[in-house]
Amino acid sequence: MMPDDLMEVNIADVSITNVGFALFFKPVGSTSPKVVPIFIGPLETYSISSALDGITPPRPNTHDLMINIFKQMEARLLHVVINDIIGNIFYARIVIQHEDRILEIDARPSDSVALAIRSGCPIFMHEKVYRDAAVIIGEEGEAAETGEKPIISDENQVEDRTDLERLQEQLQRALENENYEDAARIRDRIRDFKQEN
């Protein structure tokens, strides 16, 4: 039986953003504009995108290999759970049934999702993770934090936009220099700024 605080999510989009590649998750059946973006590397993006598109590589990649190992061991991937976010890092677990045992294994969300797509199992997210990380994608692809209007469409926030624009310029420079760690930190400062103002 699944805990009450889990919601099933699906991948609403896989795309490149101003801070790199991202998976956008949305609760199944939801009409809300809120999504949870999780930023991933280019190799993981390729693995997930190719699985979504039904492309089978001529030789198994790491995720295909893991699925093949599960099959040979007669194990079954039941589901994956994106279960926590600490700072800007998401955490996940894969849940496997092997004979009469249920095993939960810590994993990166990108690997968990790549395996879930290949096995056809559901992806779940803790409600707290959704509440803490969901954003509304506004005009021109800008992400506004939950509960906030997109800053670019609010003329009453002109004074606040000066500091925000400065942070966004720093973010752009970090991205141009491919300094993704700094970009992630600046993105978090932008999020905190929007929550405070």
Side-chain angles (χ1 to χ4, degrees):
M1 185 173 173
M2 299 297 296
D4 291 338
D5 60 351
L6 292 185
M7 58 174 65
E8 186 173 356
V9 296
N10 57 24
I11 300 171
D13 194 14
V14 181
S15 63
I16 187 160
T17 72
N18 60 352
V19 289
F21 293 100
L23 299 173
F24 293 89
F25 292 93
K26 193 170 191 175
V28 170
S30 172
T31 57
S32 168
K34 295 179 183 177
V35 294
V36 174
I38 297 182
F39 299 96
I40 63 175
L43 294 177
E44 293 82 0
T45 302
Y46 173 75
S47 179
I48 290 168
S49 296
S50 61
L52 285 172
D53 294 338
I55 298 170
T56 304
R59 300 289 298 144
N61 68 22
T62 304
H63 301 118
D64 297 319
L65 173 63
M66 291 180 71
I67 293 295
N68 291 340
I69 290 171
F70 292 158
K71 288 178 182 174
Q72 290 298 316
M73 294 176 62
E74 297 183 355
R76 187 164 65 102
L77 184 56
L78 298 177
H79 59 266
V80 303
V81 179
I82 301 167
N83 65 323
D84 204 359
I85 178 173
I86 300 173
N88 61 351
I89 299 173
F90 288 84
Y91 294 83
R93 298 184 74 72
I94 59 174
V95 181
I96 302 167
Q97 181 176 12
H98 181 247
E99 296 176 347
D100 60 348
R101 297 175 61 202
I102 303 293
L103 308 169
E104 289 194 24
I105 301 170
D106 183 35
R108 298 184 307 173
S110 56
D111 293 327
S112 302
V113 169
L115 293 173
I117 294 166
R118 285 166 170 78
S119 68
C121 78
I123 303 167
F124 293 98
M125 180 178 287
H126 272 277
E127 288 180 358
K128 181 182 183 304
V129 174
Y130 181 77
R131 284 194 311 269
D132 290 349
V135 296
I136 297 173
I137 302 301
E139 297 174 25
E140 298 178 14
E142 294 288 336
E145 292 302 314
T146 52
E148 298 270 336
K149 293 181 180 177
I151 270 212
I152 54 174
S153 65
D154 190 342
E155 296 177 6
N156 296 325
Q157 294 184 340
V158 172
E159 291 180 5
D160 291 342
R161 288 175 65 187
T162 305
D163 289 337
L164 181 63
E165 287 173 349
R166 180 179 51 78
L167 287 171
Q168 289 172 332
E169 288 170 7
Q170 291 175 2
L171 176 62
Q172 188 61 40
R173 281 197 300 273
L175 291 170
E176 287 170 0
N177 293 325
E178 297 183 0
N179 190 340
Y180 298 114
E181 288 182 17
D182 282 351
R185 281 193 291 272
I186 296 166
R187 183 199 64 203
D188 289 343
R189 287 172 57 196
I190 291 171
R191 180 187 63 198
D192 294 342
F193 178 87
K194 288 179 180 178
Q195 288 175 340
E196 291 168 4
N197 293 281

